[in-house]
Amino acid sequence: MVRPVFQLFLLEAARDFLKSLPIQARNKIYYNIKKVQGGVKDYELFKKLENSEIWEFRTLYQGTAYRLFSFWDKEAEALVIATHGIIKKTQKTPSKEIARAEELRRKYFEAKIKK
């Protein structure tokens, strides 16, 4: 069995987003995440957003674009934290969603420092 390139941790908003989706779409998202964890380098599946520390898992299923925002915690030995997700309706990723992911990232590291 291949060791994953990284571990994935879902914050509550990410778990809630995935639970809200139809099972087939959710399964496709998990399938794509497992491909990336297995070492597949496909920027259509996992891409760093410009001018940000935020990455997105990208899934297209039956004409619908799903995005799961995330960031790396490199201190935790290859850990990716998924913040939240959206169903993308426009060509450009909404800046308010990127800002939300960046705020959740900031809070994550602040809480980690306090421990």
Side-chain angles (χ1 to χ4, degrees):
M1 187 157 134
V2 177
R3 183 170 179 237
V5 175
F6 60 86
Q7 295 298 313
L8 178 68
F9 179 78
L10 302 170
L11 295 181
E12 185 176 359
R15 286 192 305 269
D16 291 346
F17 171 71
L18 290 168
K19 286 180 192 173
S20 75
L21 299 177
I23 190 72
Q24 300 91 339
R26 187 180 334 148
N27 287 343
K28 177 71 182 229
I29 292 168
Y30 282 131
Y31 172 80
N32 285 344
I33 289 170
K34 288 192 184 312
K35 282 176 67 174
V36 176
Q37 281 181 311
V40 172
K41 290 185 172 113
D42 184 342
Y43 298 110
E44 292 302 313
L45 298 179
F46 190 54
K47 181 179 179 181
K48 186 175 188 297
L49 299 176
E50 287 185 30
N51 304 317
S52 178
E53 292 299 315
I54 302 302
W55 291 66
E56 62 180 5
F57 288 101
R58 304 157 52 102
T59 298
L60 184 62
Y61 179 72
Q62 292 187 341
T64 302
Y66 299 93
R67 298 294 186 261
L68 193 62
F69 296 95
S70 59
F71 60 89
W72 288 89
D73 181 347
K74 295 175 184 164
E75 295 171 12
E77 196 171 322
L79 176 65
V80 172
I81 312 296
T83 60
H84 70 291
I86 63 168
I87 296 174
K88 193 169 173 198
K89 297 179 178 167
T90 62
Q91 188 70 20
K92 190 168 168 53
T93 301
S95 57
K96 72 176 188 167
E97 299 298 343
I98 298 169
R100 180 178 176 198
E102 287 171 341
E103 178 65 13
L104 290 167
R105 178 182 182 273
R106 185 186 63 73
K107 288 180 179 178
Y108 170 86
F109 284 114
E110 279 180 4
K112 190 173 174 182
I113 289 170
K114 291 179 183 176
K115 286 185 178 182

